[in-house]
Structure formats: structure tokens, C-alpha cells
Amino acid sequence: MASTHDHGSAHDAGGGHGHGHGHGGHDAPPAGLKVLAVSANAKVRTVAVSRPGEADVTYLEATREGLGITLKHFAKNLFGRRRKVADLNTGARPVPTTTGGKILEALSPLNDIETIQYPEEKVVYPERYRGLHRLMQRDDGAVRCVACMCCPTVCPAHCITIIPEQAEDGSIEKRPAVFEIDELRCVVCGLCVEACPCDAIRMDSGTHAKPVEERADAVMTKDKLIAVSKDNGKSPTSIATQGGAGANWRDGR
Amino acid sequence: MNTLYAILDNAATKWVLLVFGLVMPLASLLTWAERRQSAMMQDRLGPNRANIGPIRLKGILHFVADAVKMISKEDFIPGNVHRGLFALAPLLAIGPVLIAFAIIPFGPTIFPHSFTDTLDVGALARSPGAHSFADSIRLQIAQLDFGLLFYFAILTLANYGGTIAGWASYNKWALLGGLRSSSQMMSYEVSMGLSLMGCFLLVGSLEPGFIVASGVSSKMSASNPLNWLWLWQAPALLLFFTAAIAETKRAPFDIPEGEPEIIGYFVEYSGLRWGLFFLAEFIEIVFISAVITTVFFGGFQVPFLDPDGFRFGGYVTEINGTWVSTGGFVAKLPHGVVALLQVGAFGLKVVLVSWLQLMIRWTLPRFRADQLMNLGWKILLPLALGWTMFTALAKLFFIYMGWL
């Protein structure tokens, strides 16, 4: 059977022309192939293709080679050390410099397992990762938002609902009575943060919207949005002066 | 006490102890080991999270989770199946494998009365009826003179499991899988039986217990690794191992299952019925490891551990028709310790060969049907026949020269 294959395949392979050398003058046959016949079109050739010979039909050599590869990986991953999560995050493969480190590396080299075991270990998100929204607070704990309606206006997904109300103390005109973001509709574009004139809404919480069982649970109310800061260890106050004057708020991050 | 020994020496007791003490736990653990080992080979972590409270054990408990899942899943039987055969097939797949374990010697013969003493092999050969050798417990369920033939015969029945499952399922893919399964099993059974023929010729017995106890030559102790068959019958080991892996229907010989093409003969099975097929496959791995250990790697023998302790040097002499090693330097050990070491060695060897089978299963891709048949009929079979002839001629020559 194998010999029949040899001849049959040799004929079939005649249509194959050199490894993608499409530009003029490259009509030479691919290296290692013996040309048996050339047709009127110089690019159409019959070549002899080398197929595994009878010696390989027992698959012994291939099996031995394959087992060598898998065994190497198996031993390395079984006896080697896992890389630190921080290194997995950055893709670093620290080379030991101390003598102790070199001995440890020789005894138990770092293995190739890339898995990060969520939720005990987490991928560190980039600094500018856009996560769950949070509402910033003034020094007295009131919401910074002045209900200017910039964010619901710019929001392409129409996921922000603000109902303004009159502020009692008169130092600011308005404040949101209701501030809701439907996280199921949010497309995480970050335009609301860009649009906000008083640093009241941010997406730097570094976390995702939590999975919910009811659609209604995905709507973040004002209280929930304020609580995001505390839950994720972020300061709820901004160094920006209310109204836009003062230091750039980005400097204070 | 004597009643206890009689109960322990009963075949049913030994079978229950062997199956529930060694085979089932090992097969269940293999379901976890396979996934974890394949993960390690592919730079992954594998299943490591199943836990009972804080007990995690690197995920070993996954097999408990799997068992609970399979038991509690719906047992769905499609319409139009042949209900009788449909129910029978999983039992036909798992039953023969469990029965075949009867011939495997998983430890030495234990003499309870001299459990704490060093066994006097000479005294045993001279007067086997003495009190200290009474109530012996043989750690082999059935000592059959046709031992390994029994294995070939019984395991042929397992063939029907897959075929009948495919037929009874009333499903084209299942039927294709069943046909592939039967054609493959039949092809490889031939070479499997023939590949061991050289071993039978060399040892002069089909009885696994005898193969373990005697080894190739009576001039060496049976515990000498050079006396085991792996060295003298290396080609047979290779041939048998290949054919045996094909018999387990696992990669690279898994065309009866061939998930991307036909799913296999158990496509219509669910829940515990499917679990039985699955478990049967893993029990077959354990069984083939046990056979290879017994025939080629000295079974329960620990290197250089004779019944009375570790022996270096010394010679073999005949007492009352039994070959007994004497002399040399002996580190004497109590009979109980020797027996424990030997049972442990058997377990360890089985685990190692099972590990090798998993390595091969996760290294090689699946054969095409034509490659499979080529390998079985055109390579394994002639090689097995040739090796049998060669062994026979070599043995004749050795006897003629007076070396054997």
C-alpha cells in the first residue's frame, strides 16, 4: 500500500509550484525535490516527493522522539517551580544572580506553566484599565456631581440616568437626586469620564461589573457607585478644585 | 483464626480485596491522573480545585466529584434502542476485565504462622506440610495452568461490549464506532496473543504465578532483574505493549471513539452507563499494566529480595523439585515485611506502566484506519510470528549447547 502512495502522491504534487516565489524568474523547483517531467507550462512539473519510507512505518522513531518531547515538558512542569504571579503578569523570566538562586534554579528550574489561578491570583490590569464606574465625593462626603447632564448626553449607550434636584446650601446649583448607570448597557467607552467637568465620575476602580442574577441588580445606584471607591481601596476625594480651577487632578493619582 | 485464614484464602474474598482495594481506586485515580498528567505535558495546570472543605490534595478529589456527578446524572435512554442489549453492553465492557484479574498474582504466598519469622525456604521445600506453612494464603485468585490463555479468552468478550453498544443504540455513528471497535480489537488480538508466545516458550508455562516465581532461567534467583523477561523478550514487550494499547481503544488507537468524527459506540449513553464504559477503559489500563508487570517485569518481585531477605551473591539449588536460592550475603527480613514489600513493588510497577501508557496516549495523534490495519496486520503480526520462530530456534540452540 505504501509504495502505491509514493507514486500516486508524486504525480499529484506536480501541480505544486515553488514555495510562494511568485515574482518573475523564480521558476526553479523547490529545494530537495527531483523534477521528473516538465509540461508546456514551465511552472507545471511532475516532481518526486519524499514520503516516509518503510523504516518509519513502525512509527517507532516518531514515537521515541515524541515521548522525549512530552517527557521533557512533563518533568519540567512536575519538578520545576511555578513562576511568581507577578512574573506571569509581566511575562518576566527572572535569571538568578545569587549563588543560592543559581543552585535552586539548577535543582528546580522555573517551569513553563502560564496559568494564573483566578480568583486566588489575579491578572494585574494596566494602569489605565477602564473598570467599574465610581462616583467621587467632596470633602464633606457629598457627591461631587453637579448634575450638569454632560455624561448622559455623551453616553453612546444611553446607560446613565440623572434626575437633578436643587441643592439646599446654595453653594452649588444642582446635585443628582438619582444617578444610575445600567452596567449591562454600558459599553465601557470612558466618554463619561472624559466629559465630566468636575471629576465626579471615574472608571479607575480596577475591577469589573459584578455578575448578577437579575437584570435590575446590574443597575448601579448612586449609593452603590459611591461605595465602589471604598470597596476597591480608592480614595473617594479628588484634589481638583470644584469647578475646574486648580491643579490637574491627574497629578494627584 | 483458622476460619479467618480460610476466609482470606477464599477466591471471592481475594477478588473483592483486589478489585476494591487496588483496581477500582487505581482506575478512579487514573481518571484524575490522566487529566493532570496531560496538563503537565502541555504546560497547563490541570484539574486541581476539587475539594472537601479545606482538603484539596492537588485535585485528587476530582474523581469523587466525577463519580458523584455520573451517579446523579439522568440516565437517558433514547427511543428505538434495543433496551435489553443497551443495558447489557456496559456490563459486557466492564465485567470481563474485572474477571480477568483472577489470574494476576499480586503478591507472594503468605504463611500466617511464620508471619513474624524469617521464612526458611529450604524447610518449606523439604516439608511443605509443616505447621508453620499451614493455612497459606496465596495472593492470586485463580492459579490456572492456562492462565494467560484465560486472559485472551475473557478479554475477547469485552469486544462484544463496544460492538453491542453500537448496535443497540440505533444510531449510525454508534454503529460505525461499534464496527470500528470490533475490527480493531480482532486485528490486534491476534498479534497480542502471538507476541507473548515467545515468553511462554522461554518460561515453559502459561501460568502468570509460575512466570513470576521462576523467571527465564533456573540458574538465577527469580528476584534478579536479569532473570525477568523484559531483557530476553524485549521485542515481545514492544509488540505486546503496542497491541495491548490498541486493545484498550485509547489514543493513538482510538478510532472506535474518534470524537471529531463519530463520537463512538457510546454516543447514546449517559450517566452511570457511560461511566461504566469510561471506567472499563481505565480498568483495562490497570489490567494491561498488571499483565506487563507480571510477564515482563517480574510481577511482585523486588530486585534481589528473596523470600528470606535481600540476597547478594549466592546460588540456586534444587530441593524436592523446587529451585531455592541459598548462600551469599543475606540481609534477613521477617516474612511479613517481605510480603508487604513485594505487594508494594507490584503496585508500584503497575502504577509506573500505567503512567507510561498515559504518556503514550497524550503524545501520539490518532492513526488513520488504514494505518491502523497496516500496523496490525502487516507489521505487528509478521514480527510477532518471526519473533516466536526466533525464540523457538534460539531455545533449541541453547538447549543443544547445554546452556539452558
Side-chain angles (χ1 to χ4, degrees):
Chain A
M1 176 101 53
S3 59
T4 334
H5 268 265
D6 282 351
H7 298 301
S9 316
H11 194 75
D12 293 344
H17 28 95
H19 297 284
H21 298 298
H23 304 293
H26 285 275
D27 284 343
L33 290 185
K34 193 183 158 203
V35 179
L36 298 177
V38 183
S39 70
N41 182 345
K43 284 184 177 175
V44 180
R45 294 178 284 260
T46 304
V47 294
V49 197
S50 67
R51 298 278 175 208
E54 289 294 327
D56 289 348
V57 173
T58 56
Y59 308 105
L60 266 184
E61 179 58 24
T63 305
R64 193 195 57 74
E65 197 178 324
L67 273 177
I69 294 170
T70 48
L71 192 63
K72 209 161 67 186
H73 279 260
F74 178 72
K76 189 173 185 187
N77 292 328
L78 187 67
F79 299 116
R81 287 168 300 143
R82 266 193 80 211
R83 283 154 71 195
K84 291 196 183 72
V85 184
D87 291 339
L88 287 174
N89 264 315
T90 55
R93 245 196 132 78
V95 179
T97 47
T98 60
T99 319
K102 276 174 186 160
I103 293 172
L104 185 63
E105 175 72 18
L107 289 176
S108 165
L110 292 176
N111 65 25
D112 295 331
I113 294 175
E114 299 273 351
T115 314
I116 289 176
Q117 301 216 64
Y118 189 85
E120 291 91 4
E121 305 163 357
K122 283 178 183 167
V123 173
V124 177
Y125 290 132
E127 199 188 345
R128 297 183 63 181
Y129 173 78
R130 288 199 292 266
L132 195 59
H133 307 83
R134 63 184 181 121
L135 277 183
M136 308 294 286
Q137 286 166 290
R138 296 163 201 271
D139 294 340
D140 61 357
V143 182
R144 276 184 81 89
C145 174
V146 294
C148 69
M149 309 302 273
C150 277
C151 54
T153 308
V154 77
C155 180
H158 301 300
C159 67
I160 305 178
T161 309
I162 298 178
I163 300 177
E165 67 178 358
Q166 192 73 41
E168 285 112 10
D169 63 355
S171 66
I172 46 172
E173 271 183 54
K174 292 191 292 178
R175 66 182 183 194
V178 172
F179 192 110
E180 286 181 354
I181 300 180
D182 186 348
E183 295 292 346
L184 286 181
R185 298 188 70 172
C186 173
V187 294
V188 207
C189 62
L191 285 180
C192 49
V193 180
E194 297 296 324
C196 185
C198 47
D199 193 21
I201 185 168
R202 286 195 190 175
M203 293 178 78
D204 61 352
S205 58
T207 184
H208 333 263
K210 295 270 183 301
V212 291
E213 291 182 351
E214 303 280 333
R215 275 169 185 274
D217 294 343
V219 177
M220 299 283 285
T221 58
K222 191 166 74 179
D223 295 337
K224 282 189 193 169
L225 286 166
I226 290 171
V228 169
S229 302
K230 195 163 159 256
D231 293 347
N232 293 284
K234 302 275 179 182
S235 166
T237 53
S238 168
I239 59 158
T241 305
Q242 191 72 39
N248 188 335
W249 65 268
R250 288 184 177 85
D251 297 339
R253 288 179 75 196
Chain B
M1 263 332 242
N2 289 352
T3 330
L4 175 69
Y5 297 146
I7 291 174
L8 279 177
D9 199 30
N10 187 291
T13 321
K14 284 190 276 191
W15 187 80
V16 168
L17 284 180
L18 179 66
V19 167
F20 290 98
L22 179 75
V23 177
M24 284 297 194
L26 196 52
S28 313
L29 278 179
L30 277 179
T31 61
W32 165 80
E34 163 152 278
R35 284 175 287 167
R36 195 101 162 94
Q37 184 178 333
S38 62
M40 287 296 175
M41 289 159 65
Q42 297 166 353
D43 297 346
R44 296 181 287 116
L45 273 173
N48 63 349
R49 302 197 80 88
N51 61 318
I52 300 177
I55 305 166
R56 192 177 263 191
L57 300 174
K58 301 246 171 204
I60 287 179
L61 292 167
H62 268 277
F63 83 88
V64 182
D66 289 343
V68 170
K69 184 195 81 174
M70 267 188 281
I71 291 169
S72 55
K73 266 176 102 169
E74 183 191 0
D75 176 29
F76 181 77
I77 302 179
N80 291 328
V81 303
H82 189 300
R83 295 183 80 95
L85 292 180
F86 190 80
L88 183 67
L91 301 179
L92 271 180
I94 201 168
V97 206
L98 291 179
I99 294 170
F101 267 102
I103 59 160
I104 301 290
F106 52 98
T109 304
I110 292 176
F111 302 102
H113 295 300
S114 39
F115 203 67
T116 49
D117 311 326
T118 303
L119 197 67
D120 187 348
V121 197
L124 174 62
R126 261 177 244 112
S127 53
H131 170 72
S132 51
F133 305 124
D135 299 318
S136 64
I137 302 167
R138 191 184 169 84
L139 293 187
Q140 181 186 16
I141 295 161
Q143 190 185 2
L144 305 170
D145 286 340
F146 48 88
L148 285 158
L149 283 191
F150 176 78
Y151 148 52
F152 295 140
I154 288 294
L155 233 63
T156 312
L157 288 179
N159 212 335
Y160 289 104
T163 315
I164 288 181
W167 171 255
S169 291
Y170 196 73
N171 177 313
K172 292 184 187 77
W173 287 274
L175 184 60
L176 274 175
L179 288 175
R180 284 183 182 195
S181 147
S182 57
S183 71
Q184 173 179 330
M185 304 265 286
M186 279 174 204
S187 309
Y188 279 83
E189 246 156 37
V190 184
S191 351
M192 194 168 71
L194 276 173
S195 61
L196 284 190
M197 227 35 97
C199 305
F200 303 152
L201 282 172
L202 214 53
V203 180
S205 173
L206 286 162
E207 208 275 299
F210 183 84
I211 297 178
V212 172
S214 78
V216 179
S217 157
S218 53
K219 291 182 176 146
M220 274 189 280
S221 164
S223 60
N224 190 336
L226 291 180
N227 202 8
W228 302 343
L229 280 160
W230 63 272
L231 183 61
W232 311 105
Q233 290 285 314
L237 171 60
L238 212 60
L239 293 173
F240 179 76
F241 199 30
T242 313
I245 290 177
E247 283 292 290
T248 59
K249 300 193 283 285
R250 286 160 55 79
F253 300 99
D254 62 340
I255 64 160
E257 289 164 32
E259 300 92 349
E261 309 151 19
I262 56 165
I263 305 166
Y265 49 87
F266 44 53
V267 58
E268 294 290 6
Y269 283 85
S270 54
L272 200 55
R273 285 183 213 270
W274 177 82
L276 283 183
F277 280 117
F278 190 59
L279 197 59
E281 216 170 73
F282 282 95
I283 294 177
E284 265 181 52
I285 297 176
V286 179
F287 182 70
I288 279 156
S289 305
V291 170
I292 287 176
T293 300
T294 304
V295 175
F296 291 100
F297 293 101
F300 54 77
Q301 303 279 9
V302 183
F304 307 109
L305 179 67
D306 282 336
D308 49 355
F310 283 100
R311 181 189 307 275
F312 303 98
Y315 56 96
V316 182
T317 175
E318 189 185 5
I319 304 175
N320 265 0
T322 316
W323 292 98
V324 174
S325 337
T326 46
F329 170 76
V330 186
K332 282 191 168 28
L333 283 175
H335 174 51
V337 174
V338 172
L340 275 179
L341 278 176
Q342 292 187 326
V343 173
F346 178 75
L348 186 67
K349 288 178 193 175
V350 168
V351 167
L352 282 178
V353 181
S354 303
W355 171 83
L356 184 61
Q357 288 190 59
L358 296 195
M359 283 299 289
I360 291 172
R361 185 249 177 277
W362 286 96
T363 297
L364 297 178
R366 181 184 309 137
F367 283 122
R368 276 195 325 257
D370 64 318
Q371 291 172 326
L372 187 89
M373 290 294 147
N374 270 347
L375 185 66
W377 289 110
K378 291 187 180 172
I379 294 165
L380 288 191
L381 184 59
L383 280 180
L385 276 172
W387 180 250
T388 308
M389 295 287 287
F390 176 79
T391 310
L393 291 174
K395 182 165 184 178
L396 260 185
F397 178 70
F398 273 53
I399 290 172
Y400 176 74
M401 298 297 284
W403 294 339
L404 260 180

